[in-house]
Amino acid sequence: MVTLGLVVAEFNATVTEQMEASARDAANEHGAEIAETLHVPGAYDSPLAADRLARRDDIDAVAVLGAVVTGDTDHDQVISTAATQKLTDVSLDRDKPVTLGIIGPGMSGAEARERTDAGARTVEGAIDLVEEQNDDGVFRPDSARRTQCNARNQQSRIATRS
C-alpha cells in the first residue's frame, strides 16, 4: 500500500477544500493511505510542510494542493513560481516524489472552481511515481511502467463513467 502525505493550502478554501475531497476519493479508489494532512495558509507556504512530510520514513510521497488565482498584479506568477521551484527542491533533496497540485496562475476564481479534479490527478500521480520505482528506488523500465500506468488510467476512466 502506498502511504501519502497531503499538504493543502487554505487560501481560496472554496476551491482547495474540493480539491482535498477529490484527492481523498482518489486515494481511497486506488488503495492508498493518507497518513497525515497538513493545512497551510497559502500555496507559498506549502514547501515547508511538504519537506516535513517528505522527511518521514512512513510516507512514500507527498501531494501538494493549492489554488493561485489572478489579481491586479503579477503576484500570482511570483507565488506560483516560488512554490513550484521549492517543491521541486524538496523532492530532489529528500529523494521522494512531491507532486504538484497547485492550480494557476493566470486563472480566475471561476476557472479554478472548474479544476478541482486536480486534487485527484495529483494523488494519482504520486501513487504512480511510487509504484513505478522498484524496492531500491530505481524506476522500472518504460514498458513495465507504461503497462501499469495504462491499467490505472483505464480503471479511473471506468470509475468516472459509473
Side-chain angles (χ1 to χ4, degrees):
M1 172 189 287
V2 174
T3 303
L4 302 174
L6 185 63
V7 178
V8 182
E10 294 177 335
F11 200 81
N12 295 311
T14 57
V15 174
T16 60
E17 288 169 355
Q18 290 178 27
M19 292 174 73
E20 181 178 357
S22 76
R24 290 185 182 285
D25 289 346
N28 287 334
E29 288 172 19
H30 296 292
E33 174 191 2
I34 296 177
E36 185 167 359
T37 301
L38 298 179
H39 290 90
V40 296
Y44 183 81
D45 309 301
S46 62
L48 178 60
D51 187 60
R52 297 284 163 84
L53 292 172
R55 290 173 188 244
R56 290 179 41 178
D57 291 334
D58 64 323
I59 291 180
D60 300 314
V62 179
V64 180
L65 308 177
V68 181
V69 298
T70 299
D72 294 334
T73 67
D74 289 338
H75 189 70
D76 60 323
Q77 299 284 340
V78 172
I79 294 298
S80 296
T81 299
T84 300
Q85 288 173 342
K86 287 302 172 185
L87 289 169
T88 299
D89 291 345
V90 169
S91 183
L92 295 173
D93 291 347
R94 301 290 169 221
D95 196 29
K96 194 169 282 193
V98 176
T99 54
L100 180 67
I102 298 174
I103 57 175
M107 67 180 180
S108 67
E111 291 168 321
R113 287 186 291 279
E114 293 174 3
R115 297 183 62 200
T116 58
D117 63 329
R121 289 193 315 272
T122 303
V123 162
E124 289 167 353
I127 294 168
D128 284 346
L129 280 168
V130 170
E131 291 179 347
E132 288 175 6
Q133 298 176 46
N134 66 21
D135 292 336
D136 296 326
V138 177
F139 285 99
R140 295 185 193 144
D142 283 344
S143 59
R145 188 170 63 232
R146 211 173 307 118
T147 300
Q148 188 172 15
C149 288
N150 287 341
R152 177 181 310 289
N153 290 338
Q154 182 65 24
Q155 288 174 340
S156 291
R157 283 192 292 274
I158 291 169
T160 303
R161 288 185 212 140
S162 312

